[in-house]
Amino acid sequence: MSEALLSALAEAVADLATANDPVAGGPGLAGTARLLDALPAADRRTLDRLFRDAALRQPPGPRRERLLTVPAGLGLPGDGHAARCDLTASYVESFVTLVRDADPATPVPSCPGWSLADLVRHHGTTHRWTEHLVRTRATERVRAGDVPLDLPADPARYPDWLAASAQSALRVLREAEPDTPTWSHGSDPHVRFFPRRLLFEAVVHLADAELALGREPAPVDPATAVDGIEEFLENLPYFSWVAEPVAQLGRDGASLRLTATDTGAAWTVVLGGGGFAWRRGAEGEPTAGVGGTAADLLLLVHGRHAADDTRFTRSGDRTLLDAWITATAL
């Protein structure tokens, strides 16, 4: 099949992906993906690339984000490695565009004590560190401070430095096999851990910059937000600075329910044993509950929305949620 024809097909699939269910892409996309599986492997790879290109041509916004959350292979089995790399690139692009002409000294209220310059430097450092870990296939911890940063002297140049750092890191990730073992600071010691981690760093830090500049955080696609909440819960036990505050909560057996009002997803966190366990679902009566859109819950668990914000509904022991948010602050 010619590339011109595949390009037209990619545009049609992009239209289909946003014409159905806003969370899952709709049954039409899944059925189309099964039909596309009959294409030769080379055509499938070309079509997938052209689909990503079509998505990246969209202006930043919900449609673009929804397209970039379609898994690699257009919904056929896969871990979404390429899709997460693309979506991270989109969020970093939005972040850089937002802060490029802003005063680097602007305070960031959601990161007390930080300025925009500090936020951009942190964001870029994470990408530099990730690139080093994946490129060298690190087998043990490497401190971010030990990785060359090539940081510009002028904070006004930080945004472009971040853009270049992210581009380089994502290129290394795209070229790596997702199942390759490597050291990570979370639950999954494989390359596939890092695009997911970088994605939610980018989501949260874009919200930080928006809040610093007096804006309401832009909407996050519900499917992305659901994945982000689970990524947070999966990796939280591996963050050493959280372990002690959680252990000191002293609420063994207490449970906290998070309910996404737009997707119906729910998560139950149970404290005990010096830590916590979590599961999907809403079985049983929790000690405390909080409901909101998946996007708002994502920013809540990351401490970017206050628990008493009117966008949330709360039930049960109100002190439990407050204590949990304090203890798990990243």
Side-chain angles (χ1 to χ4, degrees):
M1 189 180 293
S2 70
E3 181 150 331
L5 186 54
L6 284 170
S7 183
L9 183 56
E11 295 283 355
V13 173
D15 288 339
L16 185 61
T18 54
N20 293 282
D21 185 329
V23 176
L29 181 58
T32 301
R34 287 192 293 272
L35 291 173
L36 296 175
D37 193 36
L39 289 173
D43 284 350
R44 278 292 307 278
R45 288 193 295 271
T46 301
L47 179 61
D48 191 63
R49 172 176 59 80
L50 292 170
F51 178 86
R52 302 289 159 205
D53 291 345
L56 291 170
R57 285 196 295 272
Q58 299 292 319
R63 175 181 167 84
R64 184 189 202 191
E65 181 173 337
R66 192 173 304 160
L67 290 174
L68 291 176
T69 60
V70 173
L74 305 176
L76 292 171
D79 64 7
H81 182 85
R84 286 185 175 123
C85 287
D86 290 344
L87 190 51
T88 300
S90 180
Y91 269 98
V92 171
E93 178 187 350
S94 295
F95 180 98
V96 169
T97 300
L98 180 63
V99 304
R100 180 174 276 126
D101 296 323
D103 182 354
T106 302
V108 182
S110 52
C111 302
W114 278 18
S115 65
L116 270 182
D118 296 323
L119 179 64
V120 181
R121 182 174 62 246
H122 164 78
H123 204 358
T125 297
T126 301
H127 283 273
R128 291 268 175 161
W129 181 55
T130 295
E131 178 190 355
H132 176 85
L133 293 171
V134 174
R135 179 170 45 81
T136 63
R137 303 296 190 267
T139 58
E140 59 185 21
R141 181 182 180 186
V142 177
R143 294 183 180 276
D146 295 332
V147 175
L149 297 181
D150 299 322
L151 187 70
D154 182 0
R157 296 176 56 199
Y158 284 6
D160 289 333
W161 167 80
L162 163 60
S165 299
Q167 183 179 43
S168 182
L170 292 169
R171 181 174 62 251
V172 169
L173 284 167
R174 288 185 178 106
E175 292 172 353
E177 287 294 330
D179 294 337
T180 301
T182 188
W183 178 89
S184 82
H185 55 297
S187 63
D188 187 1
H190 295 89
V191 167
R192 61 177 175 256
F193 165 84
F194 289 99
R196 194 179 186 209
R197 181 81 287 275
L198 286 180
L199 171 57
F200 296 109
E201 282 273 316
V203 169
V204 171
H205 291 326
L206 176 58
D208 287 329
E210 289 166 328
L211 291 168
L213 295 174
R215 303 185 183 192
E216 181 71 11
V220 177
D221 184 81
T224 301
V226 165
D227 187 38
I229 293 167
E230 297 198 351
E231 192 268 350
F232 175 86
L233 293 172
E234 287 171 16
N235 291 314
L236 200 60
Y238 294 84
F239 298 152
S240 57
W241 62 94
V242 170
E244 184 175 352
V246 170
Q248 292 177 348
L249 286 175
R251 301 292 299 270
D252 282 12
S255 60
L256 171 64
R257 173 81 39 76
L258 308 173
T259 303
T261 54
D262 52 344
T263 70
W267 304 267
T268 302
V269 175
V270 181
L271 302 176
F276 72 95
W278 71 277
R279 65 179 184 273
R280 298 182 185 90
E283 298 79 14
E285 187 66 26
T287 309
V290 58
T293 67
D296 285 340
L297 288 175
L298 176 64
L299 294 183
L300 171 68
V301 298
H302 280 277
R304 270 55 182 187
H305 285 325
D308 59 359
D309 193 295
T310 56
R311 72 188 73 214
F312 300 113
T313 57
R314 300 177 60 171
S315 60
D317 183 350
R318 299 176 67 89
T319 65
L320 178 61
L321 175 61
D322 297 332
W324 168 261
I325 295 296
T326 300
T328 58
L330 299 181

